[in-house]
Amino acid sequence: MREVERTCFVDASPAELDRALTPTGLIESEGTFTVRATEETDAGTRVIAGGGGVEAAFVVEPRTHGYDYRQVGDRGPFEAMETSLTYDNRDHGSDVTVRSAVSLGLPLAPVSDRVAAWKRRAELDRLLDALEAV
C-alpha cells in the first residue's frame, strides 16, 4: 500500500465543517464518483457510487472533527483504500489533513501502487478544493 497526505487551511471553523460535510459530499467532492445510493449501517454510512464504468461501495464513519472512510467489497478501482479526514481549529478557521492508503493489488505493486497513489492524490486535492469553497 502507498500512503498519500494532503493538508490545507480553510476559512471555516470545525463546527462549520461538521455541519457542512456529509458522507455523500465527501465521496462526490473527490470528483471520481457520483453517489447512487446510501444506507445507514452499524458500521457507518454505506455509500454506493459509480463513475467511468466502475461502481464502488464505501463505508463512511464520523469522528470528532472528521471522517474515516474506506472502500468495501470486491468492486471498485482499488483492492484497498482507506482515508482519514481531520480538521482542527486554528485562528479563524481550520487546518485540514486528509490521509489515504491505497493499493491496486496488481503485480509489480511498487509501480502499480505508485500510480494508484498519484490518482488518489489528485482526488484528495479536489476534496480539499471543495472544502476551501465552504
Side-chain angles (χ1 to χ4, degrees):
M1 287 186 85
R2 285 281 191 158
E3 293 188 11
V4 178
E5 179 177 315
R6 309 307 268 174
T7 61
C8 74
F9 176 82
V10 296
D11 192 19
S13 70
E16 290 170 312
L17 290 172
D18 284 340
R19 288 189 299 273
L21 291 173
T22 65
T24 58
L26 287 174
I27 301 301
E28 288 192 337
S29 292
E30 292 182 0
T32 299
F33 294 108
T34 300
V35 172
R36 295 183 176 158
T38 62
E39 173 188 11
E40 295 301 321
T41 70
D42 292 339
T45 303
R46 183 176 173 88
V47 177
I48 307 298
V54 175
E55 185 172 273
F58 304 90
V59 172
V60 183
E61 301 171 81
R63 58 184 293 180
T64 302
H65 298 311
Y67 285 91
D68 290 328
Y69 56 105
R70 66 190 179 287
Q71 180 184 299
V72 296
D74 57 359
R75 297 187 328 201
F78 303 111
E79 177 184 66
M81 186 281 294
E82 300 173 354
T83 302
S84 175
L85 173 107
T86 59
Y87 36 91
D88 296 305
N89 190 43
R90 180 168 65 93
D91 299 329
H92 61 281
S94 300
D95 285 319
V96 179
T97 301
V98 61
R99 292 180 182 92
S100 193
V102 295
S103 176
L104 291 176
L106 297 174
L108 298 171
V111 175
S112 63
D113 286 355
R114 181 175 291 167
V115 171
W118 170 78
K119 178 175 177 9
R120 190 72 184 130
R121 186 174 297 111
E123 291 172 334
L124 298 181
D125 285 341
R126 287 190 296 266
L127 171 62
L128 291 178
D129 288 346
L131 287 178
E132 287 177 326
V134 170

